[in-house]
Amino acid sequence: MSQKFLFIFRGGFYDGLSADEAQKQMGRWFAWIEKLQAAGVYHGGEPLAQGGKTLSKKGSDIVVDGPFAESKESVAGYFLVEAGSMEKAAEMAKDYPDFHLGGKVEVREVMKVEMPA
Amino acid sequence: MTHSAHHVVDHLFRHESGRIVSVLSRMIGIDRLDIVEDAVQEALLKALKSWPYAGVPDNPAGWIMQTARNQAIDLLRREQTRHTKRGMVKEAIEFGGSQPIPSDDIEHDQLRMMFACCHPSIPTESQTALILKTLCGFGAAEIARAFLVPQETVSKRLVRARRRLRETYSPDELTEGGVGTDRLHPVLSALYLLFNEGYNASSGPVHIRRELCDEAMRLTSLLVNHPAGNRPETYGLRALMLFHGARLGSRTGSDGHLLLLKEQDRQQWDGRMITAGFQALERSGEGTEITRYQIEAGIAACHCSASTYEATDWKRILFLYDLLLQINPSPVIQLNRAVAVFHVNGLEAGLEVVASIRKEAKLEEYYLLHAVLGEFYSLAGRNKDAAVSYRRAMELTMVETERALLSRRLRALLN
C-alpha cells in the first residue's frame, strides 16, 4: 500500500522575474502537476498567500506575531502526493521548478494510523 | 477552469502587462507609473502562484487586469489618500469596479502611452527602452540582452526616461483630430529603431530579435489603425516592416550564418506579409508628403517583387535611392545607392561612387564600404582586389555574424 507524502515548498524568489519569465515558470508548475496527475499520485495542493500570523506562548500569554517578511524559509505552498517510499517521493520532488530561484522542497511522510505490522 | 497551460497564449503575460500598464497609467496618472508597474507585476506573480493549482481562468486577460486593478487600489489606499485629486481618481477605479474595459479604450490608452514615451525631450535610446518596458512588458535584463548593453545602462536610461515622462506627460495629448507630425514622427522613428534592432545581426539571440520585430510591427499596426496615427508615412513604415519581416526567416542559412540577399531562398519569403506590404505601400502613397519610410518601403518592395536577384529592377531602386538621398544624405544610404549604380551602370561607375563617398564622408574605417568594394571586385572577377577589401572589412567589423559572412565570401573567392 502506497504512502502519502507532503511536499512543503519553501522560498522561491519571484520578484525579479520578467513577465515572460513568470509565464515560463508558471508553465513549469503546470507541467509538474500534470505529470503527477497523469501518474495518479497527486492528491491535492494549495499555494499559500504571503504574510500570515504565528502564535506562541510567552510566559502565560499567547502571543500573536507577524506577518513576517518573506524569507527562504517561508512556506509557499504544498502538495500531497503518493509514493512507494521516501526515496521514491524524494525522487519525484526533484521536478520542483523553483530550485534555481532559491526555493527548496521538504519531503515529509504522512504518518499511517493503521495497526503496525 | 482548465488545468492545462496550453490554454495560455504565448507571451500573454507580456502583452497584458503592456496593455494594463497603459490603462492604469491613464486612470491613476503617469506620475505613478511606479505603482502601476508594481500592481501589474503583483498580478502576474499571483497568476504564476495560483493558476497551476486552481487552473487557468476562463478569461485569463480579464483576471490579470482585475487583479492588477485591485492591487493598485490597495497600494494607493496604503498611501492613505484623502479627497485629493488622487483620491477621486481612486474612487473612479473602485467605481469602475469589475466592468471590463472596452478594447478600443485599451488601444487608445496604449497609443497615449506610446506618444508619451516618444516625447522629443526623452533621448532616443531611452524611448525604445521605455516602450519595451511599459508597452511591451519586457524586463530590464531582456532589454539589455536585446540591445547588447549592460543592464545598469538600461536601468539608468529607464530612470531618466521615467522622470522626463512625468515632467512632460499631458493626458489630453491625443485628440479626435489626430496628432501633429512633430509628435507622430518621433514615434515612427522609435518604432523604426526598435524594428531595426530586431532585424539586424548586431542584436542579441535570434529569438529576441524576432520578438523585437514582432513588437514593432504590433505597435505600428495599433498606430496605423487609429486616427492619431493614420497617416501615409505610418503606412510607409508598416509596409517597410512587412517587406523586411517577410524575409526575416530566410536571412540565415542552415547553420545560422547570415546570407546575402542574392543567396536567400525566395521561396521562404512570407507571401502573405509581402501582399500586406503592398497594400500598406499603396495607402502610403496617398497624400502629398513623402518621407523616408515610403521611399525605403518602395525599395524593399522592388526586392520583394523580384522572383530572383537577377530580375531585380535596379533602375527603379536607383531612382528611389536618389530620392532618398535628398531627404537623408547619409553615407550608408550613399553606399547602398552605389550597389544600385553598379547594377545599372557597371563596375567602373560603382567604383567611382564608392571612391567619392570614401573621400567625402571619410568612411575609411567603415566595414561596409570595404564589404561593398569586395562584392564589386569579386563580381567583376578582380579576385585579388576583392580579397584585400574583404580582409579589411573583416578587420573593421565588431559583429560576429558579419565577420563570418565576410569570411565565407573570402573563402569562396580563394577556391
Side-chain angles (χ1 to χ4, degrees):
Chain A
M1 153 114 190
S2 255
Q3 298 157 272
K4 289 224 178 84
F5 294 86
L6 203 63
F7 287 172
I8 301 169
F9 308 126
R10 292 182 190 278
F13 185 70
Y14 289 165
D15 282 2
L17 294 178
S18 73
D20 238 23
E21 287 164 350
Q23 188 168 348
K24 276 201 191 86
Q25 191 61 10
M26 185 178 70
R28 292 182 188 117
W29 276 93
F30 269 109
W32 191 24
I33 294 180
E34 277 166 29
K35 179 176 176 180
L36 294 171
Q37 283 174 327
V41 298
Y42 181 80
H43 290 286
E46 301 281 12
L48 297 181
Q50 286 175 25
K53 301 196 187 301
T54 302
L55 283 73
S56 55
K57 196 121 188 246
K58 292 215 167 90
S60 55
D61 300 319
I62 294 182
V63 173
V64 181
D65 276 323
F68 296 107
E70 287 273 296
S71 78
K72 280 190 261 190
E73 299 307 313
S74 306
V75 179
Y78 73 88
F79 283 175
L80 185 63
V81 301
E82 192 183 309
S85 66
M86 171 58 87
E87 285 64 39
K88 291 201 176 115
E91 197 56 38
M92 274 162 52
K94 285 185 178 167
D95 286 335
Y96 169 67
D98 289 358
F99 286 123
H100 70 287
L101 297 172
K104 44 187 173 182
V105 199
E106 186 180 337
V107 181
R108 301 286 300 275
E109 183 184 337
V110 173
M111 287 178 72
K112 289 208 193 84
V113 189
E114 17 179 77
M115 194 68 176
Chain B
M1 292 272 194
T2 164
H3 270 277
S4 172
H6 304 303
H7 293 249
V8 184
V9 166
D10 266 1
H11 307 306
L12 173 80
F13 279 20
R14 216 165 70 188
H15 289 159
E16 284 314 305
S17 170
R19 290 199 188 100
I20 299 170
V21 165
S22 302
V23 169
L24 289 182
S25 297
R26 191 245 310 154
M27 285 177 168
I28 298 175
I30 206 97
D31 52 331
R32 295 320 309 267
L33 191 56
D34 55 333
I35 281 198
V36 171
E37 288 183 321
D38 279 349
V40 174
Q41 179 73 354
E42 270 308 306
L44 295 181
L45 296 189
K46 278 201 174 124
L48 155 57
K49 284 180 193 162
S50 61
W51 290 5
Y53 293 89
V56 180
D58 293 327
N59 180 2
W63 189 100
I64 299 172
M65 169 71 89
Q66 192 57 29
T67 306
R69 232 173 175 172
N70 292 344
Q71 184 66 21
I73 292 171
D74 252 4
L75 290 170
L76 282 173
R77 211 177 262 144
R78 274 183 237 167
E79 289 191 348
Q80 293 176 333
T81 55
R82 290 175 303 257
H83 261 281
T84 57
K85 178 164 187 270
R86 185 83 56 234
M88 294 198 297
V89 167
K90 188 195 67 165
E91 280 167 27
I93 303 175
E94 283 174 297
F95 187 69
S98 50
Q99 285 160 26
I101 298 173
S103 58
D104 273 359
D105 285 6
I106 296 179
E107 280 177 9
H108 195 88
D109 287 339
Q110 286 178 90
L111 276 158
R112 184 188 270 109
M113 193 60 154
M114 228 191 292
F115 279 93
C117 289
C118 294
H119 194 279
S121 72
I122 300 176
T124 39
E125 328 81 47
S126 302
Q127 286 177 5
T128 39
L130 200 54
I131 286 178
L132 282 175
K133 183 92 191 3
T134 58
L135 274 168
C136 306
F138 275 56
E142 289 165 346
I143 298 173
R145 270 202 302 277
F147 293 159
L148 288 182
V149 295
Q151 193 171 333
E152 307 118 65
T153 307
V154 173
S155 300
K156 283 206 195 102
R157 283 183 190 163
L158 286 173
V159 167
R160 275 187 246 126
R162 275 199 257 258
R163 199 179 306 136
R164 277 291 150 82
L165 195 62
R166 285 198 295 272
E167 291 161 6
T168 61
Y169 183 68
S170 154
D172 305 315
E173 195 92 67
L174 289 185
T175 63
E176 281 312 308
V179 196
T181 52
D182 61 323
R183 290 310 311 277
L184 177 62
H185 285 193
V187 176
L188 296 181
S189 179
L191 293 177
Y192 180 71
L193 213 85
L194 184 58
F195 185 85
N196 270 327
E197 282 300 333
Y199 191 73
N200 288 317
S202 62
S203 299
V206 188
H207 65 280
I208 289 190
R209 303 208 297 265
R210 168 112 249 169
E211 283 165 7
L212 294 183
C213 289
D214 288 345
E215 288 303 309
M217 285 196 274
R218 185 175 66 88
L219 293 175
T220 305
S221 278
L222 210 64
L223 193 59
V224 91
N225 287 325
H226 195 278
N230 188 257
R231 305 278 292 263
E233 53 265 42
T234 315
Y235 280 107
L237 180 60
R238 176 169 162 75
L240 179 59
M241 289 181 180
L242 284 164
F243 289 136
H244 284 321
R247 301 187 280 129
L248 194 60
S250 68
R251 291 180 80 228
T252 45
S254 47
D255 49 357
H257 60 268
L258 257 189
L259 293 173
L260 290 176
L261 183 58
K262 64 177 162 218
E263 296 170 315
Q264 289 171 19
D265 178 5
R266 300 194 173 208
Q267 302 299 338
Q268 282 191 49
W269 290 0
D270 188 327
R272 270 181 317 138
M273 284 177 84
I274 294 178
T275 305
F278 276 108
Q279 285 166 355
L281 187 65
E282 216 183 289
R283 299 295 303 265
S284 79
E286 294 163 12
T288 52
E289 204 187 306
I290 213 160
T291 65
R292 58 179 297 192
Y293 305 116
Q294 288 122 316
I295 304 174
E296 289 188 36
I299 294 169
C302 290
H303 288 300
C304 284
S305 51
S307 51
T308 61
Y309 188 75
E310 293 68 31
T312 309
D313 188 350
W314 288 106
K315 277 216 178 94
R316 174 146 182 85
I317 291 181
L318 180 55
F319 166 76
L320 288 169
Y321 269 120
D322 286 338
L323 213 58
L324 187 55
L325 274 178
Q326 289 177 36
I327 298 179
N328 183 3
S330 96
V332 177
I333 292 179
Q334 289 183 52
L335 262 181
N336 285 328
R337 179 181 168 274
V339 174
V341 169
F342 167 84
H343 282 282
V344 174
N345 295 326
L347 175 66
E348 288 311 314
L351 286 175
E352 248 179 70
V353 175
V354 176
S356 70
I357 300 170
R358 197 170 183 165
K359 215 166 55 170
E360 283 173 38
K362 302 194 189 95
L363 280 188
E364 198 52 49
E365 303 294 305
Y366 190 39
Y367 89 95
L368 193 60
L369 181 129
H370 298 276
V372 165
L373 277 176
E375 272 310 298
F376 286 1
Y377 286 134
S378 109
L379 284 166
R382 285 166 58 172
N383 288 1
K384 269 219 191 102
D385 294 323
V388 168
S389 292
Y390 281 141
R391 283 201 182 93
R392 187 83 186 101
M394 279 174 68
E395 282 167 23
L396 290 170
T397 178
M398 299 278 112
V399 182
E400 200 40 57
T401 39
E402 298 279 354
R403 198 180 291 127
L405 173 64
L406 291 162
S407 162
R408 200 164 51 82
R409 300 298 298 149
L410 190 58
R411 265 179 285 126
L413 259 188
L414 305 174
N415 288 345

